Amino acid sequence: MTSKPIYVGADVGASRTKVAILDGDKNLIGRAVRKSGTDFTATAAECLAASLRMARAAEGDIVNAISTGYGRKNVAFARDSRTEISCHASGCYLYFPQPITIIDIGGQDNKIIKLDEAGRRTSFKMNRKCAAGTGAFLEEMSARLDIPLENMDGLARQSANMVKLGSFCTVFSATEVLENIRHGQKIEDIVKGVFFSVIKRVLEMDSLTAHVVMTGGVVAHNPYLVKMTEEMIGRRILVPEHPQFTGAIGAALYAMNRDQ
Amino acid sequence: MPEEKQVVRKKIAAAAEVAKFMAEYYLELDKAAKAGEPKIAWCTSVGPAEILRAMGFLVYFPETHSAMLGATRMATDLIPEANALGYSPDICSYLTADIGAFLRGVTPLAKAFNIDRIPKPDVLVFNTNQCRDVQDWFSWYGARFKAPVIGIHTHRGVQKVTESHVDSIAKQMQALIEPLEQVSGAQFDLNELKRVVELSRACSDIWKKILDTAAAAPAPLTFFDGTTLMGPAVVGRGTQKALDVYKILLAELEERIRNGEGAVEDERYRIYWEGMPVWGRLSAHSKLFAGLHANVLASTYCNSWIFSALDPEDPFTSMARAYTELFIVRSDEAKEKYIKDMLDFFKVDGIIYHDAKTCPNNSNCRYGMPQRLEKETGIPSLTIPGDLNDLRLLSDEQTKTNVEAFIEQLEENR
C-alpha cells in the first residue's frame, strides 16, 4: 500500500461513471467505470473503491477530489466540481499538449472543444437537445437490430456496402433501419450506416482544426468509429490510451492544480 | 459533496412601483372592456401605440400578455390548443400560447390582478416589424371578435435607413387614421399626437438612461430585472404615469451606483444577452448566472423600446424613422455594428445568444453572426438553444452545463 499523495477525478456521466486517480507526477494509477444507474452517489463511491484498489492506495491518501459530468453535484467525496467541458479539455491536453479539436462522444451528449497551443479553451459546442449522434442513438439502434451493443463495432467492420441513413432524428432513423431490414439489407451494412450517421451528426456541429482528438465511451468501445472518421476527414486522429477516462483525468488534474 | 452556490440578489425596491403601474394599467383596460368605453385598440409591441393613444384608445398589447403566460409557466400547456387549429408548434409561441389561453378561457391576469379575461378589441393594429406572425395572430382575433385588423408592413434587412423607407412607413401610418376615426368616432387631433409622441420620447429617453446604468461596474441591474421592469416602456409609453415610475426607478439605480452596489454579488463577469428571454426560466437563469458571479447586464431585447428618433414636431415621419431604425428589421451588418457598440459601452466579457426555436427574427445566431463578431471583437460567445415560451424546447441541464462551462472558459482565459 502506497502512502503517496493522490488526486481523484470522478466523471458521473448520464450513462457511465468513471473515476480516475493520478499520482503527483500525473500518472494514471487507478481507474474504474460503472453504469451510472440511479444512485450516482453510490456508483461514484463504488468506482472510487475500485480505483483505490487498482492504485493500491487508501482514502487517506487523497489530497483532493473533483467531480464532473451530469451528476457532478452528487459525488460525496468530491470537494468541488467542474464542468465536463473543462475537464475533457484538461484531460486531453495532458496527453496532447498542442492546439487540438476534441471530439467527445458520450452516452447522452457530444462535445466539440477547441484548445490553443497553451491549452486555453477557445470555444466549445455541445449537441442540441437531441440524442442523434450520441451513445444513446447507438443503444437505441442496437435494441432495434436486436444485437448486443458490444458487437456493433465488429459488425460494422465487416460491411462491404454501407447503408446510409438520411434522418436527423433517432426515432425516424429507427424507422429507416426497419425499412432497410424489410428490404433485406445486411445487418453489418446497416450498422456501418448507423456509425456513419453518428459521425455525420458530430462533424456538422463545428469545424475542425489541424489536430483532432477523439474521446468518450462510444469511441472507447467502438474504435472503428475513429477509423471511419479518419477516412471522412482525410487525416489521422489522435486517441488517448483511455479515451473513456479523459473527463475523470481532467477532473483529477483540477484537483491537483487547486491543491497547489 | 460539491455544493450548489447560494445566490444573494438584492431586490430593486422600485419594482413594486412598476408592478403597481402594471396592475393599474390592466385594471383600467378591464374597466373599459366592461363599460364599453373608452374604446380598446390592440397593438403589437412596437406598433404605432402613439397614434392609438392620441385618438383616445386604451391600448392593449397581446405580446405582453403572452410573455406573462410564459413567465407564469402557463404557456407550454396551452400551445397545443393552437397547434390543433393548424398553428404549427414551429411558429411563434407567443401566438400559439396566447390563442391557446383564449381557447381554454384562462389568463395570467386572473391570478395577478383578479381579471378574468383579456379586453375585447374594438380594433387591432399591427406592425410587422416584429414578424409576420403578429399579423396572423391579430387576424385570428379579428375574425373571432369581428373587429377590424389594420396595420403596417415594415421593411426588413434594412442596411441604411433611407428617406424612402421612412416615407413609405409614414404614409402607412397616416393611412391608419381614417379607419381608426371610424372606429373611435372621434376626429384625429395632430396636436394631441404631438403631445403623446413627446411623452413617448421622454419615456424612451429615461428607459435608455435606466438601461445605461448597467455600464457601471458593478452594474446595478440585470437583464432579468430589465425584462420585467420594461413593462411601462412597452405598454405605457406616451403616458405621464410611465415617466413618473421610471423617475423613481432611475433614482434608485443611480443611488446604487453611488454606493457601489451591484445587482450580482461580487460581479466578475459581464455578459450580453442577444435574443429573447426564456420567460419561464427568468428566475432560474438569473440565479444560475448570479451564482457564477456573472451579471447578464445588457441585451438587445430590453433596448428594443428605445426610440430616440421620436420628434413631437414631426410625429409621423419620426415615428416611421424610429420604428425602422429598430434592430430587428436591420441587416446583419447593421446589427453587428449595433452589438459591437453595446459590447464596448457595457464593457462586456462574453455574449449569450438565445436561439429561440419559434422566434427566428429574434435569433440572430443562425447565419454566422456569433463567429463573425467573435473574430472581430475577440469576445467569446455561447449559443443556448431554447424558446421564449415553449418549455418543451429547453434542456435545463444542458443550459446549466453550457453556461457553467462558458464562465469557466472566461475564468481560465483571464
Side-chain angles (χ1 to χ4, degrees), chain A residues 82-83 85-86 120-124 254, chain B residues 268-272 289 292-296 347-352 374 378-382 402-414:
Chain A
R82 201 81 185 159
T83 64
I85 310 289
S86 293
R120 283 187 302 251
R121 181 147 44 97
T122 55
S123 72
F124 69 94
Y254 277 107
Chain B
R268 294 179 208 163
Y269 310 102
R270 297 168 66 83
I271 308 295
Y272 185 82
F289 284 96
L292 299 165
H293 302 288
N295 189 353
V296 183
K347 300 177 281 293
V348 166
D349 299 309
I351 311 172
I352 303 285
E374 184 165 342
I379 296 173
S381 66
L382 170 71
N402 270 305
V403 169
E404 284 185 20
F406 186 60
I407 301 301
E408 286 171 357
Q409 179 179 326
L410 296 180
E411 179 194 349
E412 288 177 11
N413 290 350
R414 275 205 164 155

Side-chain angles (χ1 to χ4, degrees), chain B residues 22 25-26 29 40-49 52 58-71 75 92-102 106-109 118-127 130 133-142 145 149 234-235 237 276 279 301 305 388-389:
Chain B
M22 295 304 286
Y25 161 75
Y26 279 112
L29 273 168
I40 292 170
W42 287 20
C43 185
T44 52
S45 60
V46 192
L52 302 172
L58 292 188
V59 189
Y60 169 79
F61 297 86
E63 285 153 85
T64 306
H65 181 258
S66 202
M68 287 178 75
L69 288 167
C92 173
S93 59
Y94 267 0
L95 179 162
T96 49
D98 192 63
I99 290 178
F102 184 83
V106 295
T107 168
L109 302 178
I118 54 174
K120 180 178 174 297
D122 293 293
V123 63
L124 301 96
V125 186
F126 63 82
N127 186 334
Q130 295 305 296
D133 303 54
V134 292
Q135 186 182 354
D136 295 89
W137 186 356
F138 279 31
S139 297
W140 187 85
Y141 277 111
F145 286 115
V149 181
V234 180
V235 306
R237 63 183 190 273
M276 295 291 288
W279 286 109
Y301 181 68
W305 283 268
L388 53 164
N389 261 4

Side-chain angles (χ1 to χ4, degrees), chain A residues 44-63:
Chain A
E46 270 179 45
C47 284
L48 176 65
S51 305
L52 286 168
R53 281 196 297 277
M54 185 178 175
R56 299 174 63 78
E59 277 196 45
D61 300 327
I62 300 172
V63 179

Side-chain angles (χ1 to χ4, degrees), chain A residues 67 70 72-76 78 80-86 120-122 124 126-129 254, chain B residues 1-4 355 371 374 382 385 393-395 397-398 401-402 404-406 408-409 411-413:
Chain A
S67 56
Y70 178 73
R72 60 188 176 277
K73 304 289 185 191
N74 301 91
V75 180
D80 204 351
S81 67
R82 201 81 185 159
T83 64
E84 51 269 42
I85 310 289
S86 293
R120 283 187 302 251
R121 181 147 44 97
T122 55
F124 69 94
M126 288 178 78
N127 57 310
R128 294 162 67 89
K129 316 162 291 292
Y254 277 107
Chain B
M1 187 90 75
E3 286 176 11
E4 295 281 354
D355 188 357
Q371 290 75 10
E374 184 165 342
L382 170 71
L393 299 168
L394 314 182
S395 165
E397 273 306 317
Q398 276 217 355
T401 298
N402 270 305
E404 284 185 20
F406 186 60
E408 286 171 357
Q409 179 179 326
E411 179 194 349
E412 288 177 11
N413 290 350

